[in-house]
Amino acid sequence: MPRMDTEQRTVTANGITQAVRVAGPPDGTPVLLIHGNCSSALFWEPLVRRLPPTLRVVAPDLRGYGDSATAPVDATRGLRDFADDVAALLDDPTLFGADARPVVVGHSLGGGVAMRLLVDHPHRVAALLLAAPVSPYGFGGTRDLTGTPTTPDFAGTGAGTANPDFVARLAAGDRSADAPASPRAVLRATYVADPASLGADEDLLLDTVLSTATGDDNYPGTSMPSANWPGTAPGERGVLNALAPTWFRLADELVAVADKPPVTWVRGDADVIVSDTSLFDLAYLGSLDLVPGWPGADACPPQPMVGQTRAVLDRYAAAGGAYHEVVLPGCGHSPHLERPAEFVTELLALTSRSTV
């Protein structure tokens, strides 16, 4: 099978300049790839090489990542700034055919963007493939399968939870691996379960991490003091706040979508980012005595991220939709990198269904 590589284009959509990687024929089956936090469209490149040339693949750099404009992120809109940017691309004739309804693939934060896109533009989505997606109740600060808040202000979520050493090294373009918070060390330790799976693409993938725009308007964003443990709550600007349940909670909207396309949910059972025992959840770290002052499981339990997503997708199915959960043993946060053959199989199954 011929190898498919992407070419980069620059388009203006939703009022900002967006860098978009494109592969395949204009009349191919449309596939839209939405990357996650601290990465860019190039994070999909190892996957695209494995895809058949019958697909039309479009992968944008979200605002503040890659080569797209460093436009501000209004956290009070949840992930809607990103979703609006992506929705505007669907009508660009240089990218997609008229009235295109792509299979939308979202990784991590991109999974949340994909869900938002479906809620806001259900007639433009043929199917969803959610790869290690953020919970429909946001990241952190919710205690049970119904998304009940731990505290009224969702303390312990948002920009104030970011590791300042990682942010500083990200801003400095640090390519070293000699500190736990260096972007390369974080890539190896948390983006995948086995760093060997990065292979010869490690530097390319590190480039995507280092493309992240830092600051109050982007990553991580602003924070607010809180009287609740651990003393910080989400602000109104920036990426991590847009992910916080203060602003991103679309479970009920997702279930209520009238025309429900099929959903495939792919995750690894060794994911340490989106997990019921996430190493990025301060409540879970507190339960391990790694963050002082944790008030205990009754007041602040770890967020059951996987359980929440399953509960919402069960409701989606009960309301007339359909979903398929794929759990990959020994796989971490990036199934398309770690288990590409299985991932391609699931993606092609969805594209086949969407063209029937």
Side-chain angles (χ1 to χ4, degrees):
M1 182 174 67
R3 168 172 159 156
M4 190 158 69
D5 291 309
T6 58
E7 61 168 310
Q8 182 166 304
R9 300 182 185 178
T10 300
V11 301
T12 299
N14 198 35
I16 68 168
T17 300
Q18 300 189 49
V20 184
R21 303 200 74 84
V22 179
D27 60 350
T29 303
V31 174
L32 175 65
L33 305 176
I34 307 176
H35 68 80
N37 192 19
C38 295
S39 63
S40 74
L42 273 173
F43 205 73
W44 295 110
E45 192 74 15
L47 171 71
V48 175
R49 295 183 202 131
R50 294 173 169 267
L51 297 179
T54 55
L55 303 183
R56 175 62 164 185
V57 178
V58 174
D61 290 338
L62 298 176
R63 61 172 61 197
Y65 299 93
D67 293 320
S68 284
T70 306
V73 176
D74 180 353
T76 67
R77 304 186 75 232
L79 297 176
R80 195 173 255 127
D81 278 356
F82 297 122
D84 286 352
D85 292 344
V86 171
L89 298 176
L90 297 178
D91 293 319
D92 188 311
T94 69
L95 302 177
F96 290 112
D99 300 318
R101 295 185 68 223
V103 172
V104 180
V105 184
H107 175 228
S108 195
L109 172 149
V113 177
M115 287 185 266
R116 184 78 259 170
L117 184 69
L118 172 59
V119 167
D120 291 347
H121 304 277
H123 62 292
R124 302 304 300 271
V125 177
L128 281 187
L129 198 165
L130 303 175
V134 63
S135 163
Y137 293 111
F139 198 92
T142 52
R143 78 168 74 219
D144 59 21
L145 299 185
T146 65
T148 303
T150 300
T151 61
D153 62 356
F154 293 100
T157 70
T161 67
N163 183 325
D165 189 21
F166 173 72
V167 176
R169 290 173 180 272
L170 194 63
D174 179 9
R175 304 186 71 88
S176 71
D178 56 2
S182 75
R184 188 184 296 271
V186 171
L187 174 66
R188 291 174 174 174
T190 66
Y191 283 55
V192 292
D194 179 3
S197 63
L198 301 172
D201 287 313
E202 180 174 311
D203 281 331
L204 177 145
L205 297 168
L206 178 62
D207 288 342
T208 77
V209 179
L210 294 175
S211 77
T212 303
T214 57
D216 287 348
D217 282 324
N218 298 100
Y219 181 87
T222 59
S223 62
M224 299 287 290
S226 173
N228 300 298
W229 181 87
T232 182
E236 296 185 351
R237 297 154 59 197
V239 175
L240 291 190
N241 300 317
L243 279 166
T246 317
W247 311 117
F248 180 73
R249 294 168 63 83
L250 50 57
D252 292 344
E253 294 173 276
L254 188 66
V255 172
V257 169
D259 296 321
K260 295 178 170 63
V263 177
T264 296
W265 171 28
V266 181
R267 66 180 184 87
D269 68 0
D271 191 342
V272 298
I273 296 179
V274 174
S275 166
D276 291 349
T277 54
S278 170
L279 297 183
F280 289 75
D281 180 358
L282 289 191
Y284 179 65
L285 295 179
S287 74
L288 300 178
D289 294 326
L290 296 176
V291 179
W294 179 59
D298 288 341
C300 191
Q303 181 188 9
M305 301 179 191
V306 171
Q308 287 178 343
T309 297
R310 185 180 297 114
V312 172
L313 291 178
D314 282 344
R315 290 172 56 200
Y316 182 88
Y323 85 95
H324 172 48
E325 179 180 357
V326 180
V327 183
L328 301 174
C331 178
H333 188 59
S334 303
H336 70 286
L337 298 178
E338 300 173 78
R339 302 289 285 277
E342 292 96 327
F343 196 90
V344 169
T345 295
E346 296 300 334
L347 174 54
L348 295 183
L350 271 181
T351 61
S352 296
R353 293 176 67 182
S354 71
T355 56
V356 171

